[in-house]
Amino acid sequence: MNTPSPTRPRRVWQWADVRGRKLGMWAFILNRLSGLGLTLYLFIHLGVLSMLTGGPDSWDPFLAIVKAPWFLMLDVILLAGLLIHGLNGIRVTLNGFGIGVRAQKQLFLVLMAVAAVAGLLGAWIIFAETK
Amino acid sequence: MESTLNSPAAAPRAGAGSLSWIWQAVTGVGLVILAGLHMVAHHFVVAGGLRNFAEVLAYIRNPLIWPLEILFLVCVTAHALLGVRAIIFDLGLSETAERRVTQVLWGVGLLAVAYGAWLTWVLVTYPA
């Protein structure tokens, strides 16, 4: 099971080589970078949630910090990462099962447009609703 | 595979294994629902934007919610670590090193889920 596929970069550093990249490789790189970012966030998030064990005296003052505009911007970045990774992941899964392979380029572009619109809407809600 | 968007991410990963790819796809589909629910519940429908401690308790004590949150944690941890595994395997490790990586990631995953389950239990049983 160690035979690399012909289109797969053999080394991680090749992700950073932008020469001659086609849309498929950008989709691949985007998926992996967003996935790594979300994984990092997951473990930070789990660590932060340990403050809940300290009760309201520990958790509620922390909310004042995370409601600061610069912190809400991190929420927007998280939402963008989730939308990009999730929607691109749906395309990858469909294509992996042989669905929509011929239309994958169009599917990728449409899903990223959906991510952009949903991200902007989500950003507006995050900033409008947080008080 | 088509050449227009012949992304290596669009097919089962040769190095990481087809079964792992299928698990990642299955957990990924689950996450579309569970992560959506999590984000909406914690960010988009709460007055003031985020839940204070009392609101967290009220939410997590719902007998429909805490099992979903545990399921979410299992899915997101498995999905994330399978992804990390696939990326590490792209480094071109030996089979022995790949086995070690898999063992370490299993350990990390089990610890994360155990920690999340413990945290949930602490909150569900927190004195009113």
Side-chain angles (χ1 to χ4, degrees):
Chain A
M1 295 299 286
N2 286 326
T3 311
S5 78
T7 54
R8 171 185 173 195
R10 290 181 185 164
R11 293 289 178 267
V12 169
W13 62 263
Q14 288 180 321
W15 300 357
D17 184 357
V18 296
R19 292 170 298 177
R21 286 279 181 254
K22 290 185 178 175
L23 190 59
M25 189 52 69
W26 286 114
F28 171 74
I29 293 168
L30 194 61
N31 212 41
R32 290 208 148 181
L33 289 180
S34 58
L36 283 173
L38 291 170
T39 300
L40 179 65
Y41 171 80
L42 168 67
F43 287 99
I44 293 173
H45 188 53
L46 285 174
V48 166
L49 289 179
S50 68
M51 281 197 287
L52 283 166
T53 61
D57 293 343
S58 169
W59 182 254
D60 291 346
F62 170 69
L63 287 186
I65 298 170
V66 296
K67 286 181 179 178
W70 67 270
F71 220 103
L72 292 181
M73 205 57 227
L74 295 178
D75 267 356
V76 173
I77 292 170
L78 166 68
L79 179 65
L82 285 169
L83 285 167
I84 289 168
H85 192 79
L87 291 172
N88 198 17
I90 288 172
R91 178 192 64 82
V92 169
T93 305
L94 288 173
N95 291 171
F97 286 107
I99 301 165
V101 177
R102 288 183 184 277
Q104 55 182 307
K105 184 178 177 183
Q106 293 84 349
L107 191 57
F108 173 71
L109 294 173
V110 166
L111 288 172
M112 289 306 99
V114 171
V117 172
L120 287 172
L121 182 64
W124 180 77
I125 292 173
I126 286 171
F127 276 96
E129 293 292 312
T130 306
K131 298 176 183 113
Chain B
M1 200 180 298
E2 291 294 308
S3 59
T4 34
L5 194 60
N6 56 350
S7 158
R13 316 285 307 140
S18 300
L19 187 62
S20 301
W21 186 88
I22 289 170
W23 269 115
Q24 196 162 18
V26 168
T27 53
V29 170
L31 285 176
V32 170
I33 300 162
L34 294 168
L37 175 70
H38 185 84
M39 286 297 287
V40 168
H42 288 287
H43 290 280
F44 294 129
V45 295
V46 183
L50 290 165
R51 290 179 190 275
N52 63 28
F53 188 76
E55 290 167 336
V56 169
L57 282 193
Y59 178 77
I60 202 71
R61 283 176 172 166
N62 184 323
L64 289 176
I65 293 299
W66 70 258
L68 283 177
E69 290 286 344
I70 297 282
L71 183 63
F72 173 49
L73 178 62
V74 171
C75 280
V76 75
T77 304
H79 188 83
L81 295 179
L82 282 167
V84 169
R85 181 174 173 269
I87 291 169
I88 292 173
F89 279 19
D90 271 358
L91 296 168
L93 305 180
S94 68
E95 285 193 16
T96 308
E98 287 187 350
R99 270 199 301 276
R100 293 265 160 78
V101 166
T102 301
Q103 288 164 353
V104 168
L105 292 176
W106 261 107
V108 171
L110 289 173
L111 276 176
V113 171
Y115 162 78
W118 169 77
L119 188 57
T120 304
W121 180 78
V122 167
L123 293 174
V124 169
T125 60
Y126 196 87

